[in-house]
mmCIF file of all heavy atoms in Angstrom:
data_model
loop_
_atom_site.group_PDB
_atom_site.id
_atom_site.type_symbol
_atom_site.label_atom_id
_atom_site.label_comp_id
_atom_site.label_asym_id
_atom_site.label_seq_id
_atom_site.Cartn_x
_atom_site.Cartn_y
_atom_site.Cartn_z
ATOM 1 N N GLY A 1 -5.636 -0.269 -6.597
ATOM 2 C CA GLY A 1 -5.682 1.004 -5.948
ATOM 3 C C GLY A 1 -4.463 1.159 -5.095
ATOM 4 O O GLY A 1 -3.357 0.678 -5.452
ATOM 5 N N GLU A 2 -4.601 1.824 -3.974
ATOM 6 C CA GLU A 2 -3.432 2.086 -3.108
ATOM 7 C C GLU A 2 -2.958 0.758 -2.452
ATOM 8 O O GLU A 2 -3.743 0.000 -1.889
ATOM 9 C CB GLU A 2 -3.830 3.052 -1.998
ATOM 10 C CG GLU A 2 -4.054 4.516 -2.451
ATOM 11 C CD GLU A 2 -4.206 5.427 -1.202
ATOM 12 O OE1 GLU A 2 -5.301 5.433 -0.708
ATOM 13 O OE2 GLU A 2 -3.246 6.147 -0.877
ATOM 14 N N VAL A 3 -1.642 0.586 -2.609
ATOM 15 C CA VAL A 3 -1.052 -0.626 -2.001
ATOM 16 C C VAL A 3 0.170 -0.186 -1.190
ATOM 17 O O VAL A 3 0.933 0.715 -1.626
ATOM 18 C CB VAL A 3 -0.583 -1.611 -3.114
ATOM 19 C CG1 VAL A 3 -0.070 -2.874 -2.530
ATOM 20 C CG2 VAL A 3 -1.671 -1.871 -4.144
ATOM 21 N N ASP A 4 0.397 -0.864 -0.102
ATOM 22 C CA ASP A 4 1.513 -0.523 0.773
ATOM 23 C C ASP A 4 2.826 -1.081 0.229
ATOM 24 O O ASP A 4 3.220 -2.248 0.528
ATOM 25 C CB ASP A 4 1.309 -1.105 2.171
ATOM 26 C CG ASP A 4 2.377 -0.727 3.186
ATOM 27 O OD1 ASP A 4 3.156 0.132 2.846
ATOM 28 O OD2 ASP A 4 2.435 -1.350 4.277
ATOM 29 N N THR A 5 3.438 -0.333 -0.669
ATOM 30 C CA THR A 5 4.670 -0.706 -1.295
ATOM 31 C C THR A 5 5.681 0.451 -1.249
ATOM 32 O O THR A 5 5.264 1.580 -0.935
ATOM 33 C CB THR A 5 4.460 -1.131 -2.773
ATOM 34 O OG1 THR A 5 4.198 0.034 -3.528
ATOM 35 C CG2 THR A 5 3.328 -2.117 -2.902
ATOM 36 N N PRO A 6 6.932 0.183 -1.639
ATOM 37 C CA PRO A 6 7.921 1.312 -1.602
ATOM 38 C C PRO A 6 7.594 2.445 -2.508
ATOM 39 O O PRO A 6 8.164 3.571 -2.311
ATOM 40 C CB PRO A 6 9.211 0.612 -2.056
ATOM 41 C CG PRO A 6 9.063 -0.807 -1.586
ATOM 42 C CD PRO A 6 7.602 -1.094 -1.818
ATOM 43 N N ILE A 7 6.670 2.326 -3.465
ATOM 44 C CA ILE A 7 6.342 3.414 -4.331
ATOM 45 C C ILE A 7 5.668 4.533 -3.596
ATOM 46 O O ILE A 7 5.679 5.688 -4.019
ATOM 47 C CB ILE A 7 5.432 2.944 -5.534
ATOM 48 C CG1 ILE A 7 5.554 3.929 -6.696
ATOM 49 C CG2 ILE A 7 4.014 2.726 -5.140
ATOM 50 C CD1 ILE A 7 4.919 3.442 -7.994
ATOM 51 N N LEU A 8 5.092 4.216 -2.414
ATOM 52 C CA LEU A 8 4.498 5.280 -1.575
ATOM 53 C C LEU A 8 5.514 6.261 -1.083
ATOM 54 O O LEU A 8 5.187 7.396 -0.721
ATOM 55 C CB LEU A 8 3.748 4.631 -0.417
ATOM 56 C CG LEU A 8 2.461 3.782 -0.671
ATOM 57 C CD1 LEU A 8 1.866 3.393 0.614
ATOM 58 C CD2 LEU A 8 1.502 4.553 -1.552
ATOM 59 N N ASP A 9 6.802 5.836 -1.046
ATOM 60 C CA ASP A 9 7.823 6.682 -0.549
ATOM 61 C C ASP A 9 8.060 7.873 -1.509
ATOM 62 O O ASP A 9 8.716 8.838 -1.157
ATOM 63 C CB ASP A 9 9.133 5.909 -0.368
ATOM 64 C CG ASP A 9 9.050 4.847 0.695
ATOM 65 O OD1 ASP A 9 8.169 5.011 1.585
ATOM 66 O OD2 ASP A 9 9.817 3.852 0.632
ATOM 67 N N ALA A 10 7.546 7.760 -2.785
ATOM 68 C CA ALA A 10 7.691 8.823 -3.742
ATOM 69 C C ALA A 10 6.508 9.807 -3.672
ATOM 70 O O ALA A 10 6.429 10.735 -4.495
ATOM 71 C CB ALA A 10 7.791 8.235 -5.135
ATOM 72 N N ARG A 11 5.635 9.653 -2.713
ATOM 73 C CA ARG A 11 4.504 10.583 -2.562
ATOM 74 C C ARG A 11 5.009 11.921 -2.097
ATOM 75 O O ARG A 11 5.961 11.973 -1.285
ATOM 76 C CB ARG A 11 3.500 10.047 -1.493
ATOM 77 C CG ARG A 11 2.626 8.847 -1.993
ATOM 78 C CD ARG A 11 1.294 9.343 -2.513
ATOM 79 N NE ARG A 11 0.538 8.194 -3.017
ATOM 80 C CZ ARG A 11 -0.417 7.585 -2.325
ATOM 81 N NH1 ARG A 11 -0.681 7.996 -1.059
ATOM 82 N NH2 ARG A 11 -1.059 6.584 -2.834
ATOM 83 N N PRO A 12 4.462 13.026 -2.590
ATOM 84 C CA PRO A 12 4.877 14.352 -2.103
ATOM 85 C C PRO A 12 4.628 14.587 -0.628
ATOM 86 O O PRO A 12 5.306 15.409 0.001
ATOM 87 C CB PRO A 12 4.110 15.324 -3.007
ATOM 88 C CG PRO A 12 2.991 14.507 -3.525
ATOM 89 C CD PRO A 12 3.409 13.088 -3.613
ATOM 90 N N VAL A 13 3.624 13.894 -0.058
ATOM 91 C CA VAL A 13 3.305 14.002 1.360
ATOM 92 C C VAL A 13 3.499 12.603 1.988
ATOM 93 O O VAL A 13 2.991 11.626 1.435
ATOM 94 C CB VAL A 13 1.866 14.464 1.575
ATOM 95 C CG1 VAL A 13 1.530 14.539 3.121
ATOM 96 C CG2 VAL A 13 1.654 15.860 0.944
ATOM 97 N N LYS A 14 4.229 12.555 3.103
ATOM 98 C CA LYS A 14 4.496 11.309 3.715
ATOM 99 C C LYS A 14 3.277 10.571 4.107
ATOM 100 O O LYS A 14 2.308 11.109 4.570
ATOM 101 C CB LYS A 14 5.383 11.553 5.037
ATOM 102 C CG LYS A 14 5.767 10.264 5.747
ATOM 103 C CD LYS A 14 6.630 10.552 6.962
ATOM 104 C CE LYS A 14 6.880 9.322 7.800
ATOM 105 N NZ LYS A 14 7.536 8.262 7.075
ATOM 106 N N VAL A 15 3.274 9.248 3.865
ATOM 107 C CA VAL A 15 2.115 8.366 4.150
ATOM 108 C C VAL A 15 2.321 7.832 5.528
ATOM 109 O O VAL A 15 3.312 7.224 5.875
ATOM 110 C CB VAL A 15 1.968 7.251 3.091
ATOM 111 C CG1 VAL A 15 0.804 6.359 3.417
ATOM 112 C CG2 VAL A 15 1.870 7.795 1.668
ATOM 113 N N SER A 16 1.252 7.978 6.359
ATOM 114 C CA SER A 16 1.360 7.568 7.767
ATOM 115 C C SER A 16 1.266 6.044 7.855
ATOM 116 O O SER A 16 0.755 5.335 6.958
ATOM 117 C CB SER A 16 0.235 8.151 8.550
ATOM 118 O OG SER A 16 -1.065 7.609 8.186
ATOM 119 N N ASP A 17 1.760 5.484 8.941
ATOM 120 C CA ASP A 17 1.615 4.052 9.215
ATOM 121 C C ASP A 17 0.216 3.584 9.282
ATOM 122 O O ASP A 17 -0.156 2.527 8.889
ATOM 123 C CB ASP A 17 2.357 3.674 10.547
ATOM 124 C CG ASP A 17 3.852 3.864 10.445
ATOM 125 O OD1 ASP A 17 4.430 3.893 9.300
ATOM 126 O OD2 ASP A 17 4.546 4.005 11.502
ATOM 127 N N GLU A 18 -0.692 4.457 9.853
ATOM 128 C CA GLU A 18 -2.102 4.147 9.933
ATOM 129 C C GLU A 18 -2.727 4.002 8.562
ATOM 130 O O GLU A 18 -3.505 3.084 8.328
ATOM 131 C CB GLU A 18 -2.813 5.191 10.735
ATOM 132 C CG GLU A 18 -2.481 5.296 12.216
ATOM 133 C CD GLU A 18 -1.111 6.038 12.455
ATOM 134 O OE1 GLU A 18 -0.610 6.634 11.556
ATOM 135 O OE2 GLU A 18 -0.653 5.900 13.637
ATOM 136 N N HIS A 19 -2.342 4.859 7.669
ATOM 137 C CA HIS A 19 -2.872 4.850 6.279
ATOM 138 C C HIS A 19 -2.354 3.580 5.625
ATOM 139 O O HIS A 19 -3.149 2.861 4.927
ATOM 140 C CB HIS A 19 -2.491 6.050 5.492
ATOM 141 C CG HIS A 19 -3.083 6.138 4.149
ATOM 142 N ND1 HIS A 19 -4.341 6.618 3.887
ATOM 143 C CD2 HIS A 19 -2.581 5.783 2.901
ATOM 144 C CE1 HIS A 19 -4.593 6.538 2.621
ATOM 145 N NE2 HIS A 19 -3.553 6.024 1.972
ATOM 146 N N ARG A 20 -1.123 3.252 5.741
ATOM 147 C CA ARG A 20 -0.518 2.061 5.112
ATOM 148 C C ARG A 20 -1.268 0.816 5.634
ATOM 149 O O ARG A 20 -1.424 -0.132 4.840
ATOM 150 C CB ARG A 20 0.959 1.922 5.456
ATOM 151 C CG ARG A 20 1.838 2.915 4.719
ATOM 152 C CD ARG A 20 3.309 2.788 5.115
ATOM 153 N NE ARG A 20 4.220 3.684 4.411
ATOM 154 C CZ ARG A 20 4.866 3.424 3.297
ATOM 155 N NH1 ARG A 20 4.708 2.240 2.756
ATOM 156 N NH2 ARG A 20 5.631 4.289 2.771
ATOM 157 N N ALA A 21 -1.697 0.771 6.879
ATOM 158 C CA ALA A 21 -2.320 -0.389 7.421
ATOM 159 C C ALA A 21 -3.764 -0.561 6.895
ATOM 160 O O ALA A 21 -4.275 -1.690 6.827
ATOM 161 C CB ALA A 21 -2.392 -0.249 8.978
ATOM 162 N N ARG A 22 -4.350 0.516 6.403
ATOM 163 C CA ARG A 22 -5.792 0.495 5.920
ATOM 164 C C ARG A 22 -5.815 0.057 4.456
ATOM 165 O O ARG A 22 -6.872 -0.411 3.986
ATOM 166 C CB ARG A 22 -6.392 1.875 6.024
ATOM 167 C CG ARG A 22 -6.810 2.257 7.443
ATOM 168 C CD ARG A 22 -7.812 3.451 7.398
ATOM 169 N NE ARG A 22 -7.215 4.627 6.722
ATOM 170 C CZ ARG A 22 -6.527 5.583 7.375
ATOM 171 N NH1 ARG A 22 -6.341 5.526 8.698
ATOM 172 N NH2 ARG A 22 -6.058 6.612 6.672
ATOM 173 N N ILE A 23 -4.766 0.301 3.671
ATOM 174 C CA ILE A 23 -4.804 0.021 2.247
ATOM 175 C C ILE A 23 -4.427 -1.370 1.917
ATOM 176 O O ILE A 23 -4.143 -2.244 2.800
ATOM 177 C CB ILE A 23 -3.967 1.066 1.479
ATOM 178 C CG1 ILE A 23 -2.464 0.969 1.911
ATOM 179 C CG2 ILE A 23 -4.523 2.458 1.757
ATOM 180 C CD1 ILE A 23 -1.542 1.920 1.203
ATOM 181 N N LEU A 24 -4.421 -1.729 0.633
ATOM 182 C CA LEU A 24 -4.030 -3.090 0.219
ATOM 183 C C LEU A 24 -2.613 -3.422 0.553
ATOM 184 O O LEU A 24 -1.736 -2.563 0.631
ATOM 185 C CB LEU A 24 -4.201 -3.241 -1.287
ATOM 186 C CG LEU A 24 -5.569 -3.093 -1.893
ATOM 187 C CD1 LEU A 24 -5.510 -3.127 -3.412
ATOM 188 C CD2 LEU A 24 -6.533 -4.158 -1.348
ATOM 189 N N GLN A 25 -2.347 -4.659 0.803
ATOM 190 C CA GLN A 25 -1.005 -5.185 0.965
ATOM 191 C C GLN A 25 -0.611 -5.972 -0.290
ATOM 192 O O GLN A 25 -1.469 -6.416 -1.007
ATOM 193 C CB GLN A 25 -0.940 -6.094 2.227
ATOM 194 C CG GLN A 25 -1.317 -5.422 3.514
ATOM 195 C CD GLN A 25 -0.503 -4.151 3.817
ATOM 196 O OE1 GLN A 25 0.752 -4.280 3.865
ATOM 197 N NE2 GLN A 25 -1.102 -3.017 4.020
ATOM 198 N N PRO A 26 0.655 -6.104 -0.547
ATOM 199 C CA PRO A 26 1.096 -6.792 -1.779
ATOM 200 C C PRO A 26 0.490 -8.174 -1.915
ATOM 201 O O PRO A 26 0.143 -8.601 -3.062
ATOM 202 C CB PRO A 26 2.634 -6.896 -1.624
ATOM 203 C CG PRO A 26 2.948 -5.649 -0.802
ATOM 204 C CD PRO A 26 1.869 -5.527 0.160
ATOM 205 N N GLU A 27 0.282 -8.893 -0.815
ATOM 206 C CA GLU A 27 -0.256 -10.222 -0.891
ATOM 207 C C GLU A 27 -1.697 -10.261 -1.377
ATOM 208 O O GLU A 27 -2.190 -11.237 -1.898
ATOM 209 C CB GLU A 27 -0.116 -11.004 0.432
ATOM 210 C CG GLU A 27 -0.703 -10.268 1.594
ATOM 211 C CD GLU A 27 0.239 -9.435 2.391
ATOM 212 O OE1 GLU A 27 1.200 -8.876 1.809
ATOM 213 O OE2 GLU A 27 -0.008 -9.300 3.634
ATOM 214 N N ASP A 28 -2.403 -9.118 -1.152
ATOM 215 C CA ASP A 28 -3.807 -9.049 -1.626
ATOM 216 C C ASP A 28 -3.842 -9.037 -3.208
ATOM 217 O O ASP A 28 -4.617 -9.708 -3.799
ATOM 218 C CB ASP A 28 -4.500 -7.757 -1.109
ATOM 219 C CG ASP A 28 -4.495 -7.717 0.444
ATOM 220 O OD1 ASP A 28 -4.535 -8.740 1.015
ATOM 221 O OD2 ASP A 28 -4.421 -6.630 0.938
ATOM 222 N N VAL A 29 -2.968 -8.189 -3.765
ATOM 223 C CA VAL A 29 -2.886 -8.142 -5.237
ATOM 224 C C VAL A 29 -2.390 -9.491 -5.791
ATOM 225 O O VAL A 29 -2.846 -10.014 -6.807
ATOM 226 C CB VAL A 29 -2.028 -6.982 -5.704
ATOM 227 C CG1 VAL A 29 -2.004 -6.909 -7.212
ATOM 228 C CG2 VAL A 29 -2.520 -5.628 -5.134
ATOM 229 N N ALA A 30 -1.394 -10.068 -5.080
ATOM 230 C CA ALA A 30 -0.842 -11.333 -5.462
ATOM 231 C C ALA A 30 -1.880 -12.405 -5.523
ATOM 232 O O ALA A 30 -1.913 -13.221 -6.452
ATOM 233 C CB ALA A 30 0.317 -11.727 -4.547
ATOM 234 N N ALA A 31 -2.837 -12.408 -4.577
ATOM 235 C CA ALA A 31 -3.873 -13.436 -4.550
ATOM 236 C C ALA A 31 -4.802 -13.260 -5.790
ATOM 237 O O ALA A 31 -5.218 -14.257 -6.342
ATOM 238 C CB ALA A 31 -4.677 -13.292 -3.243
ATOM 239 N N ALA A 32 -5.029 -12.026 -6.179
ATOM 240 C CA ALA A 32 -5.888 -11.804 -7.343
ATOM 241 C C ALA A 32 -5.170 -12.273 -8.620
ATOM 242 O O ALA A 32 -5.744 -12.868 -9.460
ATOM 243 C CB ALA A 32 -6.263 -10.295 -7.442
ATOM 244 N N VAL A 33 -3.861 -11.965 -8.732
ATOM 245 C CA VAL A 33 -3.118 -12.342 -9.880
ATOM 246 C C VAL A 33 -2.971 -13.899 -9.956
ATOM 247 O O VAL A 33 -3.057 -14.512 -11.039
ATOM 248 C CB VAL A 33 -1.725 -11.722 -9.930
ATOM 249 C CG1 VAL A 33 -0.856 -12.263 -11.069
ATOM 250 C CG2 VAL A 33 -1.866 -10.211 -10.034
ATOM 251 N N LEU A 34 -2.806 -14.523 -8.794
ATOM 252 C CA LEU A 34 -2.769 -16.012 -8.741
ATOM 253 C C LEU A 34 -4.044 -16.619 -9.253
ATOM 254 O O LEU A 34 -4.012 -17.613 -9.979
ATOM 255 C CB LEU A 34 -2.453 -16.436 -7.331
ATOM 256 C CG LEU A 34 -2.340 -17.969 -7.083
ATOM 257 C CD1 LEU A 34 -1.278 -18.584 -7.896
ATOM 258 C CD2 LEU A 34 -2.116 -18.275 -5.583
ATOM 259 N N MET A 35 -5.152 -16.065 -8.853
ATOM 260 C CA MET A 35 -6.500 -16.557 -9.301
ATOM 261 C C MET A 35 -6.547 -16.488 -10.860
ATOM 262 O O MET A 35 -6.931 -17.460 -11.500
ATOM 263 C CB MET A 35 -7.578 -15.713 -8.696
ATOM 264 C CG MET A 35 -9.008 -16.099 -9.200
ATOM 265 S SD MET A 35 -9.508 -15.279 -10.732
ATOM 266 C CE MET A 35 -9.604 -13.579 -10.248
#
């Protein structure tokens, strides 16, 4: 789902810092792929 990565910069509406903090971080997806 939503992950705090540079692809968010291509959103038509700017993503707030608060929203970025609530969503997945790259290391969360990395942990799943590592499993």
Side-chain angles (χ1 to χ4, degrees):
E2 289 188 282
V3 187
D4 183 13
T5 71
I7 201 170
L8 293 185
D9 297 335
R11 288 264 178 99
V13 178
K14 180 177 173 59
V15 180
S16 69
D17 291 340
E18 292 79 10
H19 185 82
R20 286 178 180 267
R22 286 195 301 269
I23 61 179
L24 296 175
Q25 300 302 305
E27 56 266 29
D28 302 329
V29 183
V33 174
L34 178 61
M35 178 274 295

